[in-house]
Amino acid sequence: MLPQVLITIAVIGIGTSPLCSAQSVDDAVDSSAEATIDFNRDVRPLFNEHCVACHGGVKQAGDLSFVYEDSVSYVVEPGDSDASAIIDRVLLDDDDESRMPPPEHGRALTEEEIDVLRRWIDAGAKWGKHWSYEELRARTVPVLNDDAFSRGRLDKFVLAKMRDAGLEPNDEADATRWFRRVALDLTGLPPTIDEVDLFKRQVQRSGEAAFGEALDRLLASPGFGQRWASVWLDVVRYADSRGLGLDSRRNIWQYRDWVVRAFNRDLPYDQFTVKQLAGDLIDQRTLDDLLATACHRSTQTNEEGGTDDETFRTEAVMDRVNTTWQTWMGLSFGCVQCHSHPYDPIEHDEYYQFLAFFNNSVDSDLGNDAPNFAFPLDPDDFQQALELDRQIEAKERQIWELTQGAAGIDHQWQPWNVSEATTNNSTKADVATIAEQAGYQHSGYQTVGTVAKNTKVVLEGTLHDDGMLTAVQFTGLPKDTERAKAHSEWGYLISFFEASVINSDGAKRPLKFARVAADESHPILNPNDSLNSKTRNGAGPYSRIHYPRKTTFVLEQPTEVSAGERLEISLTFNGVETGAFPLVAHRGYVQLSSDPAWTDWLSKVEAIQKELDQLNGQRRRIRSTSTPVMSERPEKLKRPSFVFDRGNQLTKTDPVSPGTPGFLPDLERVSADNQDASRLDLANWIVGPQNPLTARVAVNRVWSRIFGVGLVATEEDFGIAGESPTHPELLDDLAYRFQFEMDWSVKQLLREILISSVYRQSSAASEAKLAIDPSNRWLSRGPRTRLPAETIRDQALAIAGLLSETLDGPPVHPPIPTGIWNPFNAGDRWRTPENSDPDRYRRTLYTYMKRTIPYPIMASFDAPSREFCSVRRLPSNSPTQALMTLNDTTFVEAANAFAERMNRHEGDLETKLRHGFRLATCRVPNNQELQALLELSYANSSSQDPAGFISVATVLLNLDEVLCK
C-alpha cells in the first residue's frame, strides 16, 4: 500500500517540495550605494571586518575600540583625513609591522575602502547610531504611480521596495485559499467546510467587507490564544519539567493558560510585558498579575544530589537576564556576561547592573520550586480568592507590625553566657565569643569542621539575675559574616526548639513556648513549625544566609527565673538540601527578654490568628494548585550584586546597583523613595516610549510568523552583527503605530497585516521571480511555508474529527512510540489516555513538555526543547518528518477516523472522496485530483476497507498543500 500512497501524494501534491520551508536571505537584492557616505551602511562594516577583532568590545588593543565613538575619536580628526592617524596606518606598506590591520590578521584595505574612510572623515566623521537604537518615529508613506495594488499604507511600503527590485506583485489568491491561510495563521486550525461555505456566501453578498468580518471571527476564536501562546512559550522557554538533574515535573501549567487567556483578550503588549516581568510588584496586584510572573520561574533547576543551589540559582538569574533581552529587545546580551560586547556598545559591568534587577528574588535552586502560590483551578474563582487573599494579607501585616514593634524595643535583650555546647552526633560545637557589628560581642557557639545531618546543638549557661522571662531570641550567623554578603552560605532551619530551667537540685522545668516570631514578614516556611518535634521545617534562613538572622520564641506565660539557675536550650536542625547539605546554624548566640510587650504581643497575635485561621480555611476550600511565582526579598535582607570577573561567579569584584545600559535612554524611576530601581521600574522602562527596541522586536516577530521570515531575518539579533531590515521604513512605521496608535494591540496589528494586499497575494512563484528573489524577501508573492509542529498535529486531528476543544488544565499525555519514554525520574510516568478519552486528542499546546525527552512530533518538526529562550524555529526538511506523518500513532489514528468520516458522508464514492478532499484542503478537487483519488481507492480496497478510505485519508493528510499554508 505504501508505494501507491506515496505516488498519489506526488500526483496530487502541489508545491516546490514535500515540506516547504523558508530559505536564507543571502540572495537579497542589493540597492546601489548613494554618493553620500553613511556611517552604518559604509563605515561600520569596515570597522567590523578589519578592526574589532583586536579593537572591539572583547579585546581593546592599545585601549582603542571601534565599538565606541569616544574611543575612535583618538585616531580620527573630523574634517581632515590627512591628519587622522587611522588613515596613516592603513596606508603603510604590507611589510610594515605598524600597518593596520596587521598582515597576519587580514588583508589590507582596498583603495575603495580607504576612500570611504577618507570621505567619511572629511565630511565630519559623524558617528551614526545603529538603526535599531534610533528613536522610533512614524514614516512617510511612499507616493506611487499606477498603484492598483495597495489597500493600505503597509502595501505601499512593500510595493515601493518590490519595484526597486524589479518585481511586480502577484494576483490576489482565491478567496478560499486566503481563508484557509488566515485561519491557520490565527488559530492554528483549518476552517471547517461550513465556515468556508459561510465565508464564500459573505464574499458574494458583501465583497471586501467579508474579509474583515472573517478576520474578526477568527481573532475572537479561543483558538487564537492557543496558536499564539505556542509562539510566546518558545521564547520564554516554558516547559512542564525542571530541565537539569532528574528533570522532574514542575507544576506551572497555569502560566501557560494565563498566556492563552492574555492573547485571547488581547491584553496590550505593554501590560503583557509588565505583568510577566514584575506582576508581583504592581500596586494592588491581582492574581492574574502574580500568575504572570511564572514566566521567569520556568528557568531550569538542578535537583542532582550534592549540587550547590547558589551556583544554579545564579545561572537561573543570568538566564532571566539573557531571556529578557532576547525576548523583548532582540539583543545577544548574554555575550556581555564574560566581556564587553564584541560589536554593540554594551560594557561588561552593565550586564551585572542589569542582573541586579533580578538578583533579589526569593527563589533558589531547590526541588520544591518555592515560592509557590495557590491559584484556583477555575479562573472564575480568581476574584473570590483575591478578596480572601487581601484580607489574609491585611491580617498578616498586622501581625508583622506588632512583631516589629515588640522586637524593636530598646535595651530589652539581655545577654546569656553559654558555658557548654554539645551535640548529639559527629558535629562538633565549641563555646565561642561572637563579634557582631558596632563592636558588640556575644557568648555563643560555633561548629568546628563539617556538620552532620540531624544535628542537635545543646547549649547550657547560668542565669545571673532574678526576674521574669517572656521571650528567647536566637541569632544565627554565617561562618564568615563579611564574606557571606557576597558569597552566601547554606542557611539553617530550627526544626525543633526547646528550653528548660535547671535548679540547684538538677531538676528540669521545661519552658512552654506559644509562638515564633521571624525576622521577615513572609518566610517561605512556617516558623511555628520550630515548636513541632515531628517536622523538618521551621524558622531560619531557607536556604541561604547572607546576614545574621534572628528568631524569637515567645513563652505561653511569663516565667519566673532565679539567679544561679541554669538554662538549657536545644536547637534541632533536621533540614537537609540536595541530599548532602545539612541546614545547620554554624554560629549562634541567645538573648533573653523579660519585657511584658511580648506577652501583650502574644495575646493580640493569637486573636488575629483566629481570624486568620478562618480566612485561610475559606481560602483552602477554593480548589487550587500551587504554581511557582516571583517574589522579592525584603530590603533589609537584600542580596548584594557584584561584577563577575570574566563571568566567573566565584570571582566577584565591584559592587553594582540595578541599572540599564548607557547606549539606550535612561531608566525613569516609578518609585520616589531612595531605594534602588526595581523590576517594576525595569519593566516600565522596557515598554517605555523612549525604548527603541521593544516595539520593533515585537512587530518583527509577528511578521516572521506570518511570512516565514522577519523584516529583520535575525530575530534574535537586532544589534550590529544582525541583519539589517529589508523594509526599514515599514518596520519603523508598523512599530511606531503598534506602540502609539494601536495601543500595543496584537490583534489590531495582525488584522492590518492579514487584510493587506501583500498577504492576500497568490503564493505561486514564477521562474523569473524565483531567480530574482527565491526567498520572497521582497514579498512579491503570498506566504507559503510549512506549518509549525503543533499545527501539523492539530490539523490532522481536526480534519479527522477527533480534536478536543477543551481549554486549559494540566498537561496531557497523547500516544508516543514505545521506548521513547525513559526518564531519569522513575516516578515521572507517561499515562496515555484511552481512545475514548478526549484528553488523548487535546491540542498539542497542552501536551506534557519534558525538556530532556521532547514530544516526538515537536522534535521532528523543529520545535525547541525549551531549555533556553528560542526566538525562532529553524526549519528543516528531513525523511523523519515524512515517516512521522505517515506512521506515528496519532496520525494513524487520525487517518482511520478521517476514513470513517468520509465513509459516513452521504453519496456515492466520488461524493465521499470530494468531501474528504474539501475537509483536508478547504477546496473542491479538480478532475485530475479526483481521478487520482479514485484510482488510489480502487487499488487499496480490501475486505476490511472496501473503498480504500484509509489509504485515501493517509494521502490527503500528507499532501504538501495540507502540510503547508
Side-chain angles (χ1 to χ4, degrees):
M1 182 186 79
L2 189 58
Q4 180 64 40
V5 168
L6 294 175
I7 291 170
T8 308
I9 291 173
V11 170
I12 302 178
I14 300 172
T16 57
S17 64
L19 294 173
C20 52
S21 60
Q23 300 177 16
S24 67
V25 297
D26 293 339
D27 46 16
V29 177
D30 292 325
S31 59
S32 60
E34 300 174 4
T36 303
I37 295 296
D38 179 87
F39 175 79
N40 283 308
R41 184 192 63 214
D42 305 315
V43 179
R44 196 191 297 273
L46 296 181
F47 289 166
N48 288 345
E49 180 182 353
H50 298 284
C51 307
V52 297
C54 297
H55 305 282
V58 181
K59 183 179 179 183
Q60 299 184 15
D63 294 327
L64 174 63
S65 171
F66 282 89
V67 173
Y68 304 98
E69 179 180 7
D70 56 352
S71 181
V72 176
S73 65
Y74 290 106
V75 294
V76 167
E77 291 292 335
D80 189 352
S81 58
D82 289 334
S84 298
I86 188 174
I87 298 298
D88 293 340
R89 298 296 286 274
V90 300
L91 289 174
L92 294 174
D93 294 334
D94 288 352
D95 57 359
D96 192 320
E97 62 180 15
S98 297
R99 192 208 80 184
M100 290 293 156
E104 65 271 19
H105 285 286
R107 66 173 177 83
L109 271 67
T110 65
E111 291 183 6
E112 292 78 8
E113 290 170 332
I114 294 172
D115 181 60
V116 167
L117 287 179
R118 282 188 176 279
R119 291 164 59 197
W120 172 64
I121 295 170
D122 290 338
K126 184 178 179 181
W127 189 276
K129 272 188 178 181
H130 183 59
W131 66 266
S132 68
Y133 307 152
E134 294 280 1
E135 183 180 354
L136 262 182
R137 57 186 175 87
R139 297 297 186 130
T140 302
V141 180
V143 177
L144 303 172
N145 297 323
D146 302 322
D147 180 9
F149 171 72
S150 301
R151 283 185 169 85
R153 60 192 294 149
L154 180 158
D155 299 317
K156 292 182 181 294
F157 284 108
V158 173
L159 183 59
K161 286 283 187 180
M162 201 187 301
R163 287 179 174 176
D164 288 343
L167 296 165
E168 288 294 328
N170 269 0
D171 293 333
E172 190 169 307
D174 176 78
T176 300
R177 286 189 182 274
W178 174 86
F179 187 50
R180 177 180 181 270
R181 180 192 296 171
V182 80
L184 289 167
D185 274 335
L186 286 181
T187 68
L189 295 174
T192 64
I193 288 179
D194 289 342
E195 289 170 334
V196 171
D197 289 342
L198 172 63
F199 173 64
K200 291 169 69 175
R201 290 195 300 270
Q202 289 179 325
V203 170
Q204 292 175 349
R205 183 174 62 249
S206 54
E208 182 68 20
F211 289 84
E213 292 169 3
L215 278 176
D216 292 338
R217 286 195 302 272
L218 292 169
L219 288 167
S221 164
F224 174 79
Q226 294 170 314
R227 158 69 186 119
W228 285 88
S230 69
V231 173
W232 187 254
L233 297 179
D234 272 3
V235 179
V236 296
R237 35 71 175 121
Y238 168 86
D240 297 302
S241 70
R242 296 187 171 99
L244 301 172
L246 297 176
D247 192 26
S248 58
R249 292 183 179 241
R250 173 177 284 152
N251 194 56
I252 198 171
W253 56 267
Q254 287 241 28
Y255 168 71
R256 174 246 292 151
D257 292 347
W258 178 88
V259 174
V260 173
R261 293 194 297 270
F263 275 108
N264 276 333
R265 69 176 190 265
D266 199 19
L267 181 68
Y269 189 72
D270 59 340
Q271 297 180 38
F272 183 71
T273 296
V274 171
K275 291 176 187 294
Q276 291 181 90
L277 292 177
D280 56 311
L281 303 179
I282 294 174
D283 188 37
Q284 291 294 300
R285 60 147 179 83
T286 65
L287 263 62
D288 250 11
D289 297 336
L290 184 60
L291 177 55
T293 67
C295 165
H296 269 328
R297 292 303 314 282
S298 58
T299 48
Q300 296 188 80
T301 298
N302 194 340
E303 305 163 86
E304 185 179 359
T307 57
D308 184 357
D309 77 323
E310 179 63 9
T311 296
F312 290 96
R313 182 201 71 83
T314 304
E315 293 291 336
V317 172
M318 289 180 170
D319 181 44
R320 288 167 190 161
V321 170
N322 301 342
T323 298
T324 297
W325 276 88
Q326 285 270 279
T327 300
W328 279 279
M329 290 175 284
L331 290 182
S332 52
F333 201 67
C335 299
V336 197
Q337 174 183 335
C338 299
H339 46 69
S340 294
H341 201 286
Y343 302 103
D344 295 300
I346 310 172
E347 306 270 1
H348 178 49
D349 60 348
E350 289 178 327
Y351 182 92
Y352 295 96
Q353 292 171 8
F354 197 89
L355 181 144
F357 284 111
F358 295 94
N359 196 37
N360 197 41
S361 58
V362 172
D363 58 281
S364 295
D365 185 72
L366 301 175
N368 58 18
D369 279 331
N372 294 278
F373 191 89
F375 293 96
L377 293 174
D378 186 347
D380 291 339
D381 291 332
F382 272 31
Q383 186 57 39
Q384 179 189 358
L386 176 63
E387 292 171 1
L388 287 170
D389 288 339
R390 286 178 173 169
Q391 295 178 57
I392 291 169
E393 288 170 7
K395 297 299 179 185
E396 291 176 339
R397 187 163 53 250
Q398 290 180 32
I399 292 176
W400 175 240
E401 290 171 352
L402 288 170
T403 302
Q404 286 183 301
I409 297 174
D410 291 338
H411 310 300
Q412 67 164 307
W413 296 108
Q414 302 302 314
W416 176 60
N417 293 328
V418 177
S419 59
E420 185 177 357
T422 59
T423 68
N424 64 324
N425 55 21
S426 60
T427 300
K428 184 178 180 181
D430 290 342
V431 175
T433 299
I434 298 174
E436 260 198 295
Q437 295 176 349
Y440 292 116
Q441 290 187 336
H442 302 272
S443 174
Y445 81 93
Q446 66 181 21
T447 61
V448 179
T450 58
V451 295
K453 300 178 182 178
N454 303 322
T455 290
K456 180 178 182 179
V457 177
V458 180
L459 307 176
E460 287 192 33
T462 302
L463 296 168
H464 297 288
D465 298 304
D466 296 335
M468 303 297 291
L469 192 62
T470 58
V472 177
Q473 186 177 84
F474 173 75
T475 300
L477 303 93
K479 288 183 284 187
D480 187 330
T481 304
E482 286 304 312
R483 189 177 186 280
K485 293 176 183 177
H487 301 273
S488 65
E489 301 174 9
W490 281 100
Y492 63 85
L493 289 176
I494 306 173
S495 306
F496 187 48
F497 180 88
E498 53 187 333
S500 299
V501 177
I502 305 171
N503 63 21
S504 58
D505 295 330
K508 285 189 178 181
R509 186 169 79 254
L511 298 177
K512 296 182 179 181
F513 296 94
R515 287 187 69 86
V516 181
D519 60 353
E520 57 180 315
S521 57
H522 292 95
I524 291 177
L525 303 176
N526 185 358
N528 289 296
D529 283 345
S530 293
L531 303 181
N532 180 357
S533 62
K534 297 180 180 180
T535 181
R536 288 183 174 271
N537 297 327
Y542 178 73
S543 65
R544 310 294 295 191
I545 183 169
H546 292 269
Y547 309 97
R549 300 295 302 274
K550 298 181 182 296
T551 305
T552 304
F553 301 87
V554 182
L555 278 79
E556 286 184 358
Q557 299 289 337
T559 300
E560 186 173 354
V561 294
S562 302
E565 291 184 313
R566 293 179 63 78
L567 178 63
E568 180 185 86
I569 291 178
S570 296
L571 300 152
T572 300
F573 303 101
N574 289 332
V576 63
E577 279 301 335
T578 67
F581 298 100
L583 300 182
V584 176
H586 289 275
R587 298 195 299 155
Y589 62 87
V590 173
Q591 294 176 289
L592 310 175
S593 177
S594 59
D595 200 305
W598 285 108
T599 304
D600 183 54
W601 174 90
L602 183 60
S603 63
K604 291 178 179 178
V605 166
E606 288 184 337
I608 297 172
Q609 186 64 50
K610 290 180 181 179
E611 300 176 48
L612 196 53
D613 290 343
Q614 292 179 350
L615 292 169
N616 282 322
Q618 295 177 51
R619 181 63 167 86
R620 284 192 294 271
R621 285 192 285 275
I622 300 176
R623 294 180 62 244
S624 303
T625 185
S626 291
T627 300
V629 294
M630 293 290 283
S631 180
E632 287 290 281
R633 293 164 63 94
E635 185 67 22
K636 68 177 182 178
L637 300 177
K638 186 172 184 176
R639 289 190 189 95
S641 294
F642 300 86
V643 175
F644 298 169
D645 184 30
R646 299 185 181 182
N648 183 356
Q649 60 179 283
L650 299 180
T651 309
K652 299 176 181 177
T653 58
D654 299 329
V656 291
S657 297
T660 52
F663 76 100
L664 290 174
D666 291 340
L667 175 74
E668 294 183 6
R669 296 290 307 282
V670 174
S671 54
D673 54 35
N674 293 322
Q675 295 182 3
D676 288 337
S678 68
R679 273 188 290 114
L680 183 59
D681 294 317
L682 171 65
N684 283 292
W685 173 80
I686 287 174
V687 295
Q690 303 306 315
N691 193 316
L693 288 165
T694 306
R696 284 185 173 114
V697 169
V699 165
N700 191 65
R701 179 176 299 129
V702 170
W703 188 277
S704 177
R705 297 310 177 273
I706 298 300
F707 290 98
V709 62
L711 295 170
V712 178
T714 52
E715 292 180 56
E716 69 285 352
D717 193 352
F718 272 55
I720 291 168
E723 286 196 20
S724 297
T726 52
H727 300 72
E729 294 83 7
L730 171 60
L731 176 61
D732 279 12
D733 191 70
L734 278 176
Y736 179 87
R737 293 190 297 113
F738 175 57
Q739 182 170 1
F740 297 104
E741 296 178 10
M742 301 179 192
D743 296 324
W744 298 100
S745 168
V746 173
K747 287 189 176 183
Q748 192 173 340
L749 173 65
L750 278 164
R751 197 183 194 282
E752 178 164 331
I753 294 172
L754 298 175
I755 202 70
S756 69
S757 295
V758 174
Y759 181 80
R760 284 163 65 168
Q761 294 176 96
S762 163
S763 60
S766 66
E767 290 186 7
K769 286 192 173 184
L770 287 173
I772 296 174
D773 185 19
S775 301
N776 197 27
R777 296 304 306 280
W778 304 113
L779 302 164
S780 64
R781 56 188 184 272
R784 182 176 180 81
T785 57
R786 194 196 66 211
L787 298 173
E790 297 92 335
T791 303
I792 288 173
R793 176 179 177 272
D794 295 347
Q795 176 183 242
L797 293 175
I799 292 170
L802 293 174
L803 186 67
S804 169
E805 296 182 358
T806 304
L807 294 169
D808 302 342
V812 295
H813 306 81
I816 56 174
T818 303
I820 289 290
W821 195 254
N822 188 22
F824 294 109
N825 185 351
D828 188 9
R829 298 185 179 181
W830 189 278
R831 296 180 173 86
T832 302
E834 298 296 328
N835 294 62
S836 58
D837 189 338
D839 279 352
R840 188 181 181 96
Y841 305 115
R842 293 283 300 279
R843 289 197 66 161
T844 311
L845 174 76
Y846 300 108
T847 299
Y848 176 45
M849 180 69 194
K850 189 178 184 69
R851 285 171 161 137
T852 53
I853 311 177
Y855 186 47
I857 293 173
M858 298 288 282
S860 294
F861 286 97
D862 311 316
S865 64
R866 304 251 176 93
E867 293 170 276
F868 301 100
C869 167
S870 299
V871 176
R872 56 173 169 156
R873 297 182 182 181
L874 300 177
S876 64
N877 195 344
S878 69
T880 306
Q881 295 164 345
L883 292 172
M884 177 70 68
T885 55
L886 285 167
N887 301 305
D888 181 81
T889 301
T890 295
F891 289 94
V892 171
E893 291 180 0
N896 290 335
F898 186 19
E900 291 181 13
R901 193 176 185 187
M902 283 188 282
N903 192 28
R904 289 195 305 267
H905 190 70
E906 295 182 358
D908 58 13
L909 179 59
E910 284 193 16
T911 302
K912 294 175 186 289
L913 294 177
R914 189 178 290 108
H915 178 68
F917 191 91
R918 285 198 71 197
L919 285 171
T921 67
C922 299
R923 66 178 179 86
V924 177
N926 60 35
N927 290 335
Q928 180 186 6
E929 292 163 339
L930 184 59
Q931 186 61 36
L933 291 177
L934 285 168
E935 292 176 4
L936 178 67
S937 173
Y938 297 144
N940 289 276
S941 60
S942 65
S943 57
Q944 292 79 21
D945 186 15
F949 280 127
I950 293 177
S951 297
V952 172
T954 301
V955 165
L956 291 176
L957 291 177
N958 282 274
L959 290 180
D960 176 39
E961 183 176 349
V962 172
L963 296 175
C964 296
K965 68 174 182 181

